[in-house]
Amino acid sequence: MKTHTPNWVIHVENLSKQYGAGCAHCHKYTGPLHGNSQCPICNSVYACVNANFTLHEGEVLGIVGESGSGKSTLLQMVNLATRPDSGHIWYREPREQDADIVDLPAMNAYAARVFRNDRLGIVYQRPELGLNMRFTVGGNVAEKLLLANWRHVGNIRERIKELMIQTELPPERIDDEPHTFSGGMLQRVQIAKALSSNPSLLLLDEVTSGLDLSVQARVLDLIRRIQWEQQMTMLLVSHDLGVIKQLARRTIVMKNGHIVESGLTDQILEDPQHPYTQLLVSSAL
């Protein structure tokens, strides 16, 4: 393994995921040049092909692309919910210069489960993916705290109230059920749950899609504030360049399972190099 800069948290190296056995014709018909991630001969889908990127401490890295570009597959591999076929996800604990470097996909199932609950937090586009709609709001956050070995009920409830205040939720609603909350408030509940174990990496998967513009703006303001106050490292997936521009310092552009461009967000938006990125930027204007 190569030596990397001293302040990285995640280093992804040649990460790939395909669905299907593949065939000799796949390379002729898939990829950005062909505008296709599915082979018409064997129907194999190349969801992510040789992805490489580095995420530094306190940084927000955006991943942008149309539906089917592979951005969510890449996020779910980092989240250890989808196992890659090949490649590495090197991880180093933030603020620990001599921390051990771990290859996340090489973990056994138990270690991956513990790591995912303790060091990762995720907020999904659809709240029902991140929340148990049969639990109370407090119960949803408590679920993650219990997995992180919190045992004292009083301490758990205090922690939940702290998180609700931090995410601008009324703490008196700790025992209310999720279906009584609006879409924007449910995203805040997801954020509170994701932050409960003090993760080293927060994953955001289309967190504002489907929300009204005014609600979207408030959720983005909350994420920005959390990132600023806690210097939280974030990986952000969105098809919306406006969201990427507001939150991400650097951006990766994906198309048909491939990273086609990467760099500083402002640079990519002002002077896109790849034809697909140029199309994305011009359609957003």
Side-chain angles (χ1 to χ4, degrees):
M1 181 189 163
K2 298 177 182 178
T3 302
H4 305 292
T5 52
N7 61 339
W8 61 269
V9 176
I10 291 286
H11 178 72
V12 167
E13 192 170 35
N14 297 324
L15 204 63
S16 295
K17 181 67 181 179
Q18 73 181 64
Y19 297 95
C23 70
H25 304 282
C26 288
H27 71 281
K28 299 177 187 175
Y29 298 110
T30 62
L33 286 176
H34 307 285
N36 196 12
S37 57
Q38 184 172 18
C39 175
I41 307 299
C42 68
N43 293 320
S44 295
V45 175
Y46 290 80
C48 185
V49 182
N50 291 330
N52 292 275
F53 67 85
T54 301
L55 179 57
H56 298 89
E57 289 180 35
E59 180 182 39
V60 182
L61 178 65
I63 308 176
V64 69
E66 62 195 353
S67 178
S69 63
K71 58 188 187 299
S72 289
T73 297
L74 183 52
L75 187 83
Q76 286 303 326
M77 286 192 284
V78 175
N79 189 40
L80 305 183
T82 298
R83 182 171 285 278
D85 297 319
S86 60
H88 305 277
I89 305 171
W90 303 106
Y91 170 83
R92 182 169 57 190
E93 188 67 23
R95 295 174 290 278
E96 292 184 18
Q97 292 298 318
D98 299 322
D100 291 338
I101 295 170
V102 182
D103 188 13
L104 300 183
M107 287 179 167
N108 62 40
Y110 173 75
R113 205 160 46 240
V114 170
F115 180 88
R116 187 181 176 194
N117 182 71
D118 189 44
R119 307 313 299 139
L120 301 177
I122 187 165
V123 181
Y124 294 94
Q125 175 183 352
R126 292 164 52 202
E128 61 269 24
L129 293 178
L131 302 173
N132 188 325
M133 305 304 279
R134 295 172 297 173
F135 290 1
T136 63
V137 164
N140 270 283
V141 182
E143 181 183 31
K144 190 167 174 68
L145 290 171
L146 288 167
L147 289 170
N149 292 318
W150 285 59
R151 292 293 178 261
H152 190 279
V153 174
N155 290 342
I156 289 173
R157 286 184 69 85
E158 281 305 307
R159 174 63 174 154
I160 294 167
K161 288 178 180 178
E162 288 174 8
L163 289 160
M164 292 183 75
I165 291 169
Q166 184 182 352
T167 54
E168 300 170 3
L169 289 164
E172 62 272 15
R173 297 197 62 183
I174 186 172
D175 296 316
D176 289 2
E177 296 180 357
H179 68 82
T180 65
F181 283 68
S182 67
M185 291 181 78
L186 285 176
Q187 292 305 68
R188 293 170 190 274
V189 176
Q190 280 204 84
I191 294 169
K193 181 177 180 178
L195 293 175
S196 62
S197 62
N198 292 314
S200 53
L201 177 59
L202 186 62
L203 308 172
L204 304 170
D205 191 3
E206 299 279 11
V207 291
T208 58
S209 293
L211 299 177
D212 292 340
L213 286 178
S214 60
V215 178
Q216 181 181 116
R218 289 197 293 273
V219 171
L220 290 176
D221 283 344
L222 172 63
I223 293 170
R224 244 195 322 264
R225 178 171 61 77
I226 289 168
Q227 200 281 326
W228 174 259
E229 291 176 354
Q230 300 187 26
Q231 288 299 292
M232 178 70 68
T233 307
M234 299 181 180
L235 189 59
L236 164 72
V237 160
S238 181
H239 68 278
D240 189 334
L241 281 173
V243 171
I244 294 288
K245 182 178 181 179
Q246 288 191 56
L247 294 179
R249 189 181 76 86
R250 287 191 302 123
T251 296
I252 289 167
V253 182
M254 292 193 73
K255 180 173 173 57
N256 301 125
H258 294 251
I259 295 175
V260 296
E261 189 165 351
S262 63
L264 294 173
T265 302
D266 288 346
Q267 209 168 50
I268 284 177
L269 293 178
E270 291 170 10
D271 187 25
Q273 299 299 303
H274 193 275
Y276 175 67
T277 313
Q278 293 168 358
L279 182 63
L280 279 181
V281 172
S282 63
S283 63
L285 295 176

PDB file of all heavy atoms in Angstrom, residues 56-81:
ATOM      1  N   HIS A  56     -10.646  13.599   3.303  1.00  0.00           N
ATOM      2  CA  HIS A  56      -9.818  14.094   4.394  1.00  0.00           C
ATOM      3  C   HIS A  56     -10.649  14.502   5.607  1.00  0.00           C
ATOM      4  O   HIS A  56     -11.853  14.726   5.502  1.00  0.00           O
ATOM      5  CB  HIS A  56      -8.985  15.292   3.913  1.00  0.00           C
ATOM      6  CG  HIS A  56      -8.040  14.954   2.804  1.00  0.00           C
ATOM      7  ND1 HIS A  56      -8.404  15.028   1.479  1.00  0.00           N
ATOM      8  CD2 HIS A  56      -6.763  14.498   2.828  1.00  0.00           C
ATOM      9  CE1 HIS A  56      -7.385  14.658   0.723  1.00  0.00           C
ATOM     10  NE2 HIS A  56      -6.382  14.325   1.517  1.00  0.00           N
ATOM     11  N   GLU A  57      -9.965  14.595   6.751  1.00  0.00           N
ATOM     12  CA  GLU A  57     -10.628  14.999   7.991  1.00  0.00           C
ATOM     13  C   GLU A  57     -11.340  16.335   7.823  1.00  0.00           C
ATOM     14  O   GLU A  57     -10.779  17.285   7.294  1.00  0.00           O
ATOM     15  CB  GLU A  57      -9.601  15.135   9.121  1.00  0.00           C
ATOM     16  CG  GLU A  57      -9.032  13.840   9.626  1.00  0.00           C
ATOM     17  CD  GLU A  57      -8.027  14.076  10.743  1.00  0.00           C
ATOM     18  OE1 GLU A  57      -8.240  15.012  11.540  1.00  0.00           O
ATOM     19  OE2 GLU A  57      -7.035  13.340  10.807  1.00  0.00           O
ATOM     20  N   GLY A  58     -12.582  16.405   8.288  1.00  0.00           N
ATOM     21  CA  GLY A  58     -13.333  17.653   8.283  1.00  0.00           C
ATOM     22  C   GLY A  58     -13.782  18.119   6.922  1.00  0.00           C
ATOM     23  O   GLY A  58     -14.290  19.232   6.777  1.00  0.00           O
ATOM     24  N   GLU A  59     -13.641  17.271   5.910  1.00  0.00           N
ATOM     25  CA  GLU A  59     -13.991  17.644   4.539  1.00  0.00           C
ATOM     26  C   GLU A  59     -15.377  17.119   4.169  1.00  0.00           C
ATOM     27  O   GLU A  59     -15.809  16.070   4.648  1.00  0.00           O
ATOM     28  CB  GLU A  59     -12.959  17.068   3.570  1.00  0.00           C
ATOM     29  CG  GLU A  59     -13.235  17.394   2.109  1.00  0.00           C
ATOM     30  CD  GLU A  59     -12.222  16.761   1.172  1.00  0.00           C
ATOM     31  OE1 GLU A  59     -11.809  15.614   1.406  1.00  0.00           O
ATOM     32  OE2 GLU A  59     -11.850  17.432   0.190  1.00  0.00           O
ATOM     33  N   VAL A  60     -16.069  17.857   3.303  1.00  0.00           N
ATOM     34  CA  VAL A  60     -17.296  17.356   2.679  1.00  0.00           C
ATOM     35  C   VAL A  60     -16.972  17.076   1.217  1.00  0.00           C
ATOM     36  O   VAL A  60     -16.608  17.971   0.469  1.00  0.00           O
ATOM     37  CB  VAL A  60     -18.451  18.370   2.775  1.00  0.00           C
ATOM     38  CG1 VAL A  60     -19.715  17.780   2.144  1.00  0.00           C
ATOM     39  CG2 VAL A  60     -18.724  18.748   4.223  1.00  0.00           C
ATOM     40  N   LEU A  61     -17.094  15.809   0.828  1.00  0.00           N
ATOM     41  CA  LEU A  61     -16.838  15.393  -0.540  1.00  0.00           C
ATOM     42  C   LEU A  61     -18.160  15.032  -1.192  1.00  0.00           C
ATOM     43  O   LEU A  61     -18.920  14.214  -0.667  1.00  0.00           O
ATOM     44  CB  LEU A  61     -15.892  14.186  -0.569  1.00  0.00           C
ATOM     45  CG  LEU A  61     -15.572  13.598  -1.954  1.00  0.00           C
ATOM     46  CD1 LEU A  61     -14.793  14.598  -2.797  1.00  0.00           C
ATOM     47  CD2 LEU A  61     -14.793  12.290  -1.815  1.00  0.00           C
ATOM     48  N   GLY A  62     -18.463  15.656  -2.324  1.00  0.00           N
ATOM     49  CA  GLY A  62     -19.711  15.406  -3.032  1.00  0.00           C
ATOM     50  C   GLY A  62     -19.537  14.364  -4.126  1.00  0.00           C
ATOM     51  O   GLY A  62     -18.490  14.309  -4.771  1.00  0.00           O
ATOM     52  N   ILE A  63     -20.564  13.553  -4.319  1.00  0.00           N
ATOM     53  CA  ILE A  63     -20.620  12.629  -5.451  1.00  0.00           C
ATOM     54  C   ILE A  63     -21.883  12.957  -6.223  1.00  0.00           C
ATOM     55  O   ILE A  63     -22.995  12.865  -5.679  1.00  0.00           O
ATOM     56  CB  ILE A  63     -20.656  11.149  -5.006  1.00  0.00           C
ATOM     57  CG1 ILE A  63     -19.525  10.830  -4.031  1.00  0.00           C
ATOM     58  CG2 ILE A  63     -20.588  10.236  -6.213  1.00  0.00           C
ATOM     59  CD1 ILE A  63     -19.577   9.407  -3.478  1.00  0.00           C
ATOM     60  N   VAL A  64     -21.736  13.352  -7.477  1.00  0.00           N
ATOM     61  CA  VAL A  64     -22.879  13.788  -8.256  1.00  0.00           C
ATOM     62  C   VAL A  64     -22.990  12.952  -9.527  1.00  0.00           C
ATOM     63  O   VAL A  64     -21.980  12.481 -10.071  1.00  0.00           O
ATOM     64  CB  VAL A  64     -22.775  15.304  -8.594  1.00  0.00           C
ATOM     65  CG1 VAL A  64     -21.655  15.577  -9.569  1.00  0.00           C
ATOM     66  CG2 VAL A  64     -24.096  15.849  -9.119  1.00  0.00           C
ATOM     67  N   GLY A  65     -24.209  12.770  -9.980  1.00  0.00           N
ATOM     68  CA  GLY A  65     -24.455  12.018 -11.205  1.00  0.00           C
ATOM     69  C   GLY A  65     -25.929  11.711 -11.333  1.00  0.00           C
ATOM     70  O   GLY A  65     -26.683  11.798 -10.360  1.00  0.00           O
ATOM     71  N   GLU A  66     -26.344  11.336 -12.528  1.00  0.00           N
ATOM     72  CA  GLU A  66     -27.750  11.029 -12.761  1.00  0.00           C
ATOM     73  C   GLU A  66     -28.106   9.703 -12.105  1.00  0.00           C
ATOM     74  O   GLU A  66     -27.242   8.967 -11.633  1.00  0.00           O
ATOM     75  CB  GLU A  66     -28.011  10.971 -14.273  1.00  0.00           C
ATOM     76  CG  GLU A  66     -27.219   9.868 -14.968  1.00  0.00           C
ATOM     77  CD  GLU A  66     -27.196  10.032 -16.478  1.00  0.00           C
ATOM     78  OE1 GLU A  66     -27.887  10.909 -16.995  1.00  0.00           O
ATOM     79  OE2 GLU A  66     -26.458   9.276 -17.133  1.00  0.00           O
ATOM     80  N   SER A  67     -29.393   9.371 -12.104  1.00  0.00           N
ATOM     81  CA  SER A  67     -29.850   8.091 -11.591  1.00  0.00           C
ATOM     82  C   SER A  67     -29.186   6.963 -12.378  1.00  0.00           C
ATOM     83  O   SER A  67     -29.136   7.001 -13.606  1.00  0.00           O
ATOM     84  CB  SER A  67     -31.378   8.006 -11.723  1.00  0.00           C
ATOM     85  OG  SER A  67     -31.837   6.758 -11.275  1.00  0.00           O
ATOM     86  N   GLY A  68     -28.638   5.970 -11.661  1.00  0.00           N
ATOM     87  CA  GLY A  68     -27.961   4.863 -12.312  1.00  0.00           C
ATOM     88  C   GLY A  68     -26.489   5.103 -12.590  1.00  0.00           C
ATOM     89  O   GLY A  68     -25.823   4.267 -13.207  1.00  0.00           O
ATOM     90  N   SER A  69     -25.951   6.228 -12.111  1.00  0.00           N
ATOM     91  CA  SER A  69     -24.543   6.546 -12.374  1.00  0.00           C
ATOM     92  C   SER A  69     -23.595   5.736 -11.499  1.00  0.00           C
ATOM     93  O   SER A  69     -22.400   5.630 -11.794  1.00  0.00           O
ATOM     94  CB  SER A  69     -24.282   8.037 -12.152  1.00  0.00           C
ATOM     95  OG  SER A  69     -24.530   8.380 -10.795  1.00  0.00           O
ATOM     96  N   GLY A  70     -24.102   5.185 -10.407  1.00  0.00           N
ATOM     97  CA  GLY A  70     -23.268   4.398  -9.503  1.00  0.00           C
ATOM     98  C   GLY A  70     -22.943   5.092  -8.195  1.00  0.00           C
ATOM     99  O   GLY A  70     -22.282   4.521  -7.330  1.00  0.00           O
ATOM    100  N   LYS A  71     -23.436   6.319  -8.022  1.00  0.00           N
ATOM    101  CA  LYS A  71     -23.056   7.096  -6.833  1.00  0.00           C
ATOM    102  C   LYS A  71     -23.580   6.471  -5.533  1.00  0.00           C
ATOM    103  O   LYS A  71     -22.864   6.414  -4.530  1.00  0.00           O
ATOM    104  CB  LYS A  71     -23.504   8.550  -6.962  1.00  0.00           C
ATOM    105  CG  LYS A  71     -24.989   8.780  -7.180  1.00  0.00           C
ATOM    106  CD  LYS A  71     -25.280  10.237  -7.485  1.00  0.00           C
ATOM    107  CE  LYS A  71     -26.781  10.525  -7.541  1.00  0.00           C
ATOM    108  NZ  LYS A  71     -27.471   9.749  -8.602  1.00  0.00           N
ATOM    109  N   SER A  72     -24.814   5.972  -5.549  1.00  0.00           N
ATOM    110  CA  SER A  72     -25.365   5.363  -4.336  1.00  0.00           C
ATOM    111  C   SER A  72     -24.710   4.013  -4.046  1.00  0.00           C
ATOM    112  O   SER A  72     -24.521   3.644  -2.885  1.00  0.00           O
ATOM    113  CB  SER A  72     -26.883   5.202  -4.448  1.00  0.00           C
ATOM    114  OG  SER A  72     -27.513   6.472  -4.379  1.00  0.00           O
ATOM    115  N   THR A  73     -24.353   3.271  -5.090  1.00  0.00           N
ATOM    116  CA  THR A  73     -23.628   2.009  -4.891  1.00  0.00           C
ATOM    117  C   THR A  73     -22.290   2.280  -4.225  1.00  0.00           C
ATOM    118  O   THR A  73     -21.890   1.581  -3.289  1.00  0.00           O
ATOM    119  CB  THR A  73     -23.408   1.293  -6.241  1.00  0.00           C
ATOM    120  OG1 THR A  73     -24.669   0.955  -6.800  1.00  0.00           O
ATOM    121  CG2 THR A  73     -22.587   0.022  -6.051  1.00  0.00           C
ATOM    122  N   LEU A  74     -21.606   3.310  -4.675  1.00  0.00           N
ATOM    123  CA  LEU A  74     -20.318   3.686  -4.080  1.00  0.00           C
ATOM    124  C   LEU A  74     -20.499   4.051  -2.609  1.00  0.00           C
ATOM    125  O   LEU A  74     -19.732   3.612  -1.747  1.00  0.00           O
ATOM    126  CB  LEU A  74     -19.714   4.846  -4.867  1.00  0.00           C
ATOM    127  CG  LEU A  74     -18.326   5.351  -4.441  1.00  0.00           C
ATOM    128  CD1 LEU A  74     -17.321   4.213  -4.359  1.00  0.00           C
ATOM    129  CD2 LEU A  74     -17.837   6.425  -5.403  1.00  0.00           C
ATOM    130  N   LEU A  75     -21.537   4.827  -2.311  1.00  0.00           N
ATOM    131  CA  LEU A  75     -21.809   5.218  -0.927  1.00  0.00           C
ATOM    132  C   LEU A  75     -22.104   3.992  -0.071  1.00  0.00           C
ATOM    133  O   LEU A  75     -21.623   3.873   1.062  1.00  0.00           O
ATOM    134  CB  LEU A  75     -22.987   6.192  -0.879  1.00  0.00           C
ATOM    135  CG  LEU A  75     -23.264   6.797   0.508  1.00  0.00           C
ATOM    136  CD1 LEU A  75     -22.344   7.984   0.753  1.00  0.00           C
ATOM    137  CD2 LEU A  75     -24.712   7.246   0.633  1.00  0.00           C
ATOM    138  N   GLN A  76     -22.905   3.059  -0.594  1.00  0.00           N
ATOM    139  CA  GLN A  76     -23.281   1.883   0.187  1.00  0.00           C
ATOM    140  C   GLN A  76     -22.100   0.935   0.394  1.00  0.00           C
ATOM    141  O   GLN A  76     -22.073   0.193   1.388  1.00  0.00           O
ATOM    142  CB  GLN A  76     -24.452   1.155  -0.481  1.00  0.00           C
ATOM    143  CG  GLN A  76     -25.786   1.873  -0.325  1.00  0.00           C
ATOM    144  CD  GLN A  76     -26.164   2.118   1.135  1.00  0.00           C
ATOM    145  OE1 GLN A  76     -25.859   1.324   2.020  1.00  0.00           O
ATOM    146  NE2 GLN A  76     -26.830   3.232   1.390  1.00  0.00           N
ATOM    147  N   MET A  77     -21.122   0.955  -0.490  1.00  0.00           N
ATOM    148  CA  MET A  77     -19.908   0.173  -0.237  1.00  0.00           C
ATOM    149  C   MET A  77     -19.107   0.786   0.909  1.00  0.00           C
ATOM    150  O   MET A  77     -18.589   0.068   1.766  1.00  0.00           O
ATOM    151  CB  MET A  77     -19.075   0.052  -1.516  1.00  0.00           C
ATOM    152  CG  MET A  77     -19.672  -0.921  -2.520  1.00  0.00           C
ATOM    153  SD  MET A  77     -18.558  -1.357  -3.882  1.00  0.00           S
ATOM    154  CE  MET A  77     -18.651   0.134  -4.893  1.00  0.00           C
ATOM    155  N   VAL A  78     -19.014   2.123   0.939  1.00  0.00           N
ATOM    156  CA  VAL A  78     -18.345   2.787   2.058  1.00  0.00           C
ATOM    157  C   VAL A  78     -19.111   2.542   3.352  1.00  0.00           C
ATOM    158  O   VAL A  78     -18.519   2.383   4.430  1.00  0.00           O
ATOM    159  CB  VAL A  78     -18.200   4.297   1.784  1.00  0.00           C
ATOM    160  CG1 VAL A  78     -17.604   5.018   2.999  1.00  0.00           C
ATOM    161  CG2 VAL A  78     -17.328   4.547   0.557  1.00  0.00           C
ATOM    162  N   ASN A  79     -20.425   2.436   3.264  1.00  0.00           N
ATOM    163  CA  ASN A  79     -21.277   2.184   4.432  1.00  0.00           C
ATOM    164  C   ASN A  79     -21.249   0.719   4.872  1.00  0.00           C
ATOM    165  O   ASN A  79     -21.885   0.352   5.851  1.00  0.00           O
ATOM    166  CB  ASN A  79     -22.724   2.603   4.105  1.00  0.00           C
ATOM    167  CG  ASN A  79     -23.627   2.592   5.311  1.00  0.00           C
ATOM    168  OD1 ASN A  79     -23.227   2.988   6.413  1.00  0.00           O
ATOM    169  ND2 ASN A  79     -24.860   2.132   5.144  1.00  0.00           N
ATOM    170  N   LEU A  80     -20.528  -0.114   4.145  1.00  0.00           N
ATOM    171  CA  LEU A  80     -20.401  -1.548   4.428  1.00  0.00           C
ATOM    172  C   LEU A  80     -21.727  -2.289   4.312  1.00  0.00           C
ATOM    173  O   LEU A  80     -21.912  -3.363   4.900  1.00  0.00           O
ATOM    174  CB  LEU A  80     -19.791  -1.785   5.822  1.00  0.00           C
ATOM    175  CG  LEU A  80     -18.436  -1.112   6.081  1.00  0.00           C
ATOM    176  CD1 LEU A  80     -17.898  -1.480   7.452  1.00  0.00           C
ATOM    177  CD2 LEU A  80     -17.426  -1.480   5.002  1.00  0.00           C
ATOM    178  N   ALA A  81     -22.668  -1.706   3.567  1.00  0.00           N
ATOM    179  CA  ALA A  81     -23.951  -2.368   3.320  1.00  0.00           C
ATOM    180  C   ALA A  81     -23.899  -3.184   2.034  1.00  0.00           C
ATOM    181  O   ALA A  81     -24.698  -4.100   1.834  1.00  0.00           O
ATOM    182  CB  ALA A  81     -25.071  -1.334   3.235  1.00  0.00           C
TER     183      ALA A  81
END
